[in-house]
Amino acid sequence: MFAIYKRELKSYLYSFIGFLFIAATLFFLGLYFNVYNVNWGYPYVSYALASVIFLFLISVPILTMRVLAEERRNKTDQLILTAPVSVGSIVIGKFLALMTIFTIPVAVFCIYPFILNLYGDMPLSENVLSILAYFLFGMTAIAIGLFVSSLTESQVISAVISFALIFVGYMMPSICSVFSTTGNLLTAILSCYDLDSPFYALLGGTLDLTAVVYYLSITILMLFLTVQSIQKRRYSVSVKNIKFGAYSSGMIVVAFIVTVLVNVVVREMPVTWTSFDWTGEKMYSLTDQTKEYVKTIDEDVTIYVLCSESSQDTTLEQTLKRYDDLSKYIDVEYVDPNVNPMFASNYTDVSLNSNSLIIESAKRSTVIDYSDIYEVSYTFNQSTYTYDSETTGYDGEGQITSALDYVLADDVPKTYILTGHGEIELGSTFESALTKSNIEFETINLMDVDSVPEDASSLVINGISSDLSEDDEEKLEEYLNNGGKILISIEYGSQETPNIDKLLDYMGLYKVPGVVVEQSTGGYYRSPYYILPSKTSSAYTSGIGSNYYIFAPNCVGIVVPEEDSDTISYNTFLSTSDRAFAKSDAEAASNYDKGENDVDGPFAVGVEAVKTLDDGTATMVVYASGEIFTEAADQIVSGVNMTLFTNTVSSFEEKEVNISIPVKSYAASYISVPQVNMLLFMVFAVILLPLGCLAAGFVIWLRRRKR
């Protein structure tokens, strides 16, 4: 075998075809890597490799067309066939020689990410998987070309048939969609020869053993068929003789059956056995919180996916498979809207996007629109005067786990959002956060009701700027006396607010006139009015790391008693520094200097007051900034303020476990390559290296020709 390998490898290097293949592959790999990774700064090589995959349609047929066909045409194959070496060794030797030629440019390409890593962070594991996917696809294509070359003595016919077979495998997903979007027996048979889907399964950052096994099994099958094709010419045997190593149609049938069975068995294994998440954010893995929660499920739940199984979003598909494998009570079903267009209308009046989910239990159902599964950010493009969108996060697990908790819960808590006093309206992202936390919400104006509704598990007063009426304040006190829970954030204003002051006094708190000025340089952002409060560990700051800031602009000065009273306990979890003071004449002030009538701090920015009642307790959480729970403030600290908000409202609900899975970030640090280095890399990878290979091949070929 080794002698065949050396002979074949030399023939490729001496005939110029090998160098041509290496040069062409290096050129296209370098070109697309330069475009996507060097110029555009993408840290993932999958972009370049997915764009280069078309090269196999042309390069592999040219590389493999002569490997057996030419020897058959020149009758030199008889020398090999009569040699004291097995046909299997001959085929493997030739295959390894072809793989060596293919591996050379792949090995060179492996160096590129390490070079680019000097200018940023290239995710190693995900890029290794992408290169592995490219290598396995190429290996399988070469095995197909080798088999076709054994069938004919015409190099042209070999190249054309190889192109056709690789092209069909490359286009198989599209071919199947022509026959059926939902899948049927024909598409199931056709998809057995799908070279494209396993490739993209590996590109996503998951080590998918079903894809690896598929490529390996197809490669082995092609090599076996190549052996059988040669054996047919080498031996004349009885049909009944099924001795391995001799040509046998029975063995060919067995080989096909074994290949299919191996892939079927691997595909039927639990996804936790066959799929391993290599992404940095563990995009496809379920968190321990989800795993522990799903183990407690003892009621049937159906997750309907509004699309055909063949057009499923691959990332969402990976997530759903893990839920399905984790619990026997969870069933995932696909509903094609093209076949059943009225299905979603049984659950919602809203038009849903493809790949949206409907989760249903015996108690209730809920809908997750596909647009909520991915987090998207928008930036204004000054050159085109349009908004550019970028997917920054994946929230599949968070949305699904919360939906499961919602449809299985015995009771769903409800919070009321107060209006009528100049309150700041909650933004859509904050409302979505409440929904994800399985908290129903409704706005309420106390003028329209005699009291706070009995089904209110909590009350949110967000950014109140006008004073409460005396009647409204009494209704809120009555609600607290009945064990109510209130979140209130107070907007700074120069006018007096005696009824808000009275509500705070109910909990032993009071606010001083003016807006807080923070003099500690590490305690504010850009302006001393824009407070970055220090925080202590509590249920409200849970999940907010020590390196993250909470942004609280334009705070009022909230003063908390130094000690708890007999009936009220305090927990100040956000506060200013000792150097802060409340500036009473902020509107007229021209600087941030402390005036004669200004009140010294420190002040509470976030405080919990719990009052013991005859029957139970009343809870009020006060935030000194009315803008703290706005989308503008939240964006400055990348969603930390929203975490504070959801923690606060969720803590009011007396649940044993609060389900809250954070969004998994897609945001990757882009690579920034200096312009000069960018140009040097392009010249080297796209021009000099391919031309060098061509020159070396031409010189070797020319010297051989002159001998």
Side-chain angles (χ1 to χ4, degrees):
M1 182 187 75
F2 187 63
I4 300 294
Y5 167 75
K6 288 197 300 181
R7 172 184 175 275
E8 200 65 33
L9 184 59
K10 287 181 180 179
S11 70
Y12 275 104
L13 296 178
Y14 290 158
S15 66
F16 189 65
I17 292 179
F19 281 102
L20 178 62
F21 176 88
I22 294 171
T25 304
L26 284 174
F27 171 78
F28 282 103
L29 285 173
L31 177 65
Y32 283 100
F33 183 82
N34 189 77
V35 170
Y36 286 109
N37 302 106
V38 180
N39 286 6
W40 294 357
Y42 291 138
Y44 303 104
V45 299
S46 56
Y47 293 95
L49 294 176
S51 300
V52 175
I53 204 72
F54 75 92
L55 187 62
F56 290 138
L57 302 176
I58 302 170
S59 61
V60 169
I62 294 175
L63 181 68
T64 61
M65 65 183 183
R66 59 172 292 277
V67 64
L68 288 170
E70 185 181 36
E71 291 191 354
R72 185 174 178 181
R73 181 174 62 85
N74 295 333
K75 308 303 181 184
T76 56
D77 61 330
Q78 299 300 319
L79 297 175
I80 298 177
L81 295 177
T82 56
V85 61
S86 67
V87 176
S89 297
I90 295 171
V91 171
I92 293 175
K94 288 179 174 289
F95 175 71
L96 291 179
L98 291 167
M99 286 301 298
T100 300
I101 298 296
F102 171 61
T103 303
I104 290 173
V106 175
V108 173
F109 182 79
C110 289
I111 302 173
Y112 292 172
F114 288 98
I115 296 175
L116 214 58
N117 199 55
L118 299 174
Y119 305 99
D121 184 19
M122 296 284 287
L124 179 61
S125 58
E126 292 166 73
N127 287 328
V128 166
L129 274 181
S130 298
I131 296 173
L132 174 64
Y134 180 82
F135 182 81
L136 290 174
F137 194 116
M139 176 188 71
T140 306
I142 288 173
I144 293 170
L146 180 63
F147 166 62
V148 173
S149 184
S150 71
L151 299 177
T152 178
E153 59 184 39
S154 170
Q155 295 185 37
V156 174
I157 294 176
S158 173
V160 171
I161 296 176
S162 296
F163 169 82
L165 286 178
I166 298 171
F167 178 77
V168 169
Y170 176 71
M171 295 297 296
M172 188 55 70
S174 300
I175 294 172
C176 289
S177 65
V178 171
F179 292 103
S180 174
T181 57
T182 58
N184 53 33
L185 179 60
L186 176 61
T187 58
I189 295 173
L190 291 175
S191 62
C192 290
Y193 184 62
D194 179 1
L195 301 180
D196 193 56
S197 297
F199 174 72
Y200 284 97
L202 291 170
L203 283 193
T206 301
L207 178 57
D208 190 345
L209 294 186
T210 61
V212 175
V213 169
Y214 178 79
Y215 282 132
L216 291 175
S217 63
I218 295 297
T219 299
I220 293 171
L221 176 63
M222 290 297 126
L223 295 178
F224 175 78
L225 294 178
T226 305
V227 171
Q228 292 298 303
S229 174
I230 297 174
Q231 291 285 17
K232 186 176 182 180
R233 304 198 310 274
R234 190 176 189 184
Y235 295 102
S236 176
V237 296
S238 169
V239 176
K240 295 181 180 179
N241 188 350
I242 60 171
K243 180 180 178 182
F244 185 80
Y247 173 76
S248 168
S249 56
M251 288 298 297
I252 293 175
V253 172
V254 170
F256 273 101
I257 293 174
V258 169
T259 301
V260 172
L261 287 178
V262 166
N263 283 277
V264 168
V265 169
V266 174
R267 288 181 182 277
E268 290 301 317
M269 289 181 179
V271 70
T272 51
W273 296 5
T274 62
S275 186
F276 303 94
D277 189 353
W278 280 23
T279 59
E281 283 284 324
K282 296 302 177 186
M283 201 68 61
Y284 308 107
S285 303
L286 299 182
T287 61
D288 291 338
Q289 188 178 14
T290 290
K291 291 177 181 178
E292 291 300 319
Y293 172 74
V294 171
K295 289 178 182 178
T296 66
I297 294 177
D298 56 3
E299 301 175 48
D300 291 334
V301 183
T302 303
I303 302 177
Y304 296 104
V305 189
L306 298 183
C307 69
S308 64
E309 194 164 358
S310 60
S311 61
Q312 166 82 51
D313 176 282
T314 53
T315 304
L316 184 57
E317 179 185 22
Q318 289 282 338
T319 302
L320 291 173
K321 282 182 178 178
R322 282 169 165 76
Y323 279 97
D324 199 11
D325 289 340
L326 202 57
S327 174
K328 65 179 181 180
Y329 294 102
I330 297 177
D331 182 37
V332 178
E333 296 184 13
Y334 292 86
V335 180
D336 190 347
N338 296 322
V339 178
N340 192 348
M342 301 304 296
F343 181 81
S345 62
N346 297 323
Y347 299 90
T348 180
D349 296 331
V350 178
S351 178
L352 299 177
N353 294 303
S354 178
N355 280 286
S356 296
L357 306 177
I358 297 173
I359 293 89
E360 181 181 34
S361 72
K363 296 175 181 175
R364 62 184 70 87
S365 66
T366 189
V367 171
I368 304 174
D369 191 77
Y370 184 60
S371 61
D372 295 327
I373 291 175
Y374 289 94
E375 184 181 74
V376 180
S377 65
Y378 296 89
T379 55
F380 185 72
N381 191 322
Q382 295 286 352
S383 60
T384 61
Y385 294 98
T386 59
Y387 282 92
D388 296 330
S389 63
E390 180 184 7
T391 302
T392 57
Y394 173 66
D395 197 23
E397 180 190 354
Q399 294 286 347
I400 294 170
T401 301
S402 294
L404 290 172
D405 186 44
Y406 172 77
V407 300
L408 293 170
D410 293 328
D411 298 301
V412 179
K414 186 172 185 178
T415 189
Y416 284 87
I417 302 171
L418 194 64
T419 62
H421 313 90
E423 292 89 351
I424 296 176
E425 184 177 354
L426 275 181
S428 59
T429 54
F430 282 86
E431 291 181 349
S432 296
L434 286 177
T435 301
K436 184 179 175 181
S437 299
N438 296 328
I439 299 173
E440 293 183 349
F441 59 91
E442 181 181 329
T443 59
I444 185 175
N445 190 320
L446 293 179
M447 290 185 64
D448 300 331
V449 294
D450 294 331
S451 61
V452 176
E454 293 183 359
D455 63 345
S457 59
S458 62
L459 186 68
V460 173
I461 308 174
N462 185 50
I464 186 169
S465 57
S466 299
D467 195 22
L468 296 164
S469 67
E470 185 176 346
D471 184 52
D472 287 352
E473 193 279 329
E474 290 176 356
K475 291 175 183 177
L476 292 176
E477 278 200 28
E478 180 187 4
Y479 171 65
L480 289 170
N481 282 327
N482 291 326
K485 301 176 177 65
I486 293 178
L487 180 161
I488 180 171
S489 62
I490 303 172
E491 177 80 351
Y492 163 74
S494 57
Q495 70 276 16
E496 294 184 356
T497 54
N499 289 314
I500 292 179
D501 295 342
K502 183 179 179 183
L503 183 65
L504 293 176
D505 183 62
Y506 175 88
M507 286 294 188
L509 304 170
Y510 71 93
K511 64 181 179 69
V512 298
V515 62
V516 174
V517 175
E518 178 60 80
Q519 296 187 102
S520 176
T521 55
Y524 64 85
Y525 172 72
R526 294 188 177 179
S527 165
Y529 292 143
Y530 296 166
I531 311 296
L532 300 175
S534 59
K535 55 185 180 296
T536 60
S537 179
S538 72
Y540 307 111
T541 58
S542 175
I544 302 174
S546 58
N547 295 327
Y548 292 87
Y549 292 104
I550 292 168
F551 181 54
N554 302 320
C555 293
V556 298
I558 301 295
V559 179
V560 181
E562 294 183 0
E563 296 183 359
D564 295 345
S565 68
D566 293 337
T567 58
I568 305 175
S569 61
Y570 302 99
N571 172 24
T572 303
F573 52 90
L574 299 177
S575 60
T576 67
S577 72
D578 293 338
R579 298 182 59 193
F581 65 89
K583 196 170 189 61
S584 58
D585 59 343
E587 290 85 355
S590 58
N591 54 51
Y592 302 114
D593 295 338
K594 184 175 180 296
E596 182 179 351
N597 297 322
D598 296 340
V599 180
D600 289 326
F603 303 106
V605 177
V607 58
E608 173 198 55
V610 179
K611 187 171 189 176
T612 303
L613 307 172
D614 293 337
D615 183 16
T617 59
T619 303
M620 182 187 293
V621 177
V622 181
Y623 289 99
S625 168
E627 301 169 54
I628 191 170
F629 299 133
T630 61
E631 293 180 350
D634 186 57
Q635 288 175 359
I636 290 176
V637 286
S638 302
V640 174
N641 283 16
M642 184 182 295
T643 301
L644 181 69
F645 175 76
T646 53
N647 283 349
T648 304
V649 180
S650 296
S651 69
F652 290 157
E653 317 307 330
E654 296 178 356
K655 296 175 62 178
E656 294 182 4
V657 180
N658 286 317
I659 304 297
S660 180
I661 311 297
V663 178
K664 297 178 180 180
S665 176
Y666 267 151
S669 55
Y670 281 76
I671 308 298
S672 298
V673 182
Q675 190 69 30
V676 174
N677 295 3
M678 190 183 301
L679 181 61
L680 289 174
F681 184 87
M682 183 186 69
V683 171
F684 172 77
V686 182
I687 300 174
L688 295 181
L689 195 57
L691 285 179
C693 289
L694 288 176
F698 180 76
V699 169
I700 294 173
W701 173 80
L702 190 61
R703 286 181 178 179
R704 293 281 297 177
R705 186 177 178 84
K706 289 181 178 180
R707 290 182 182 179

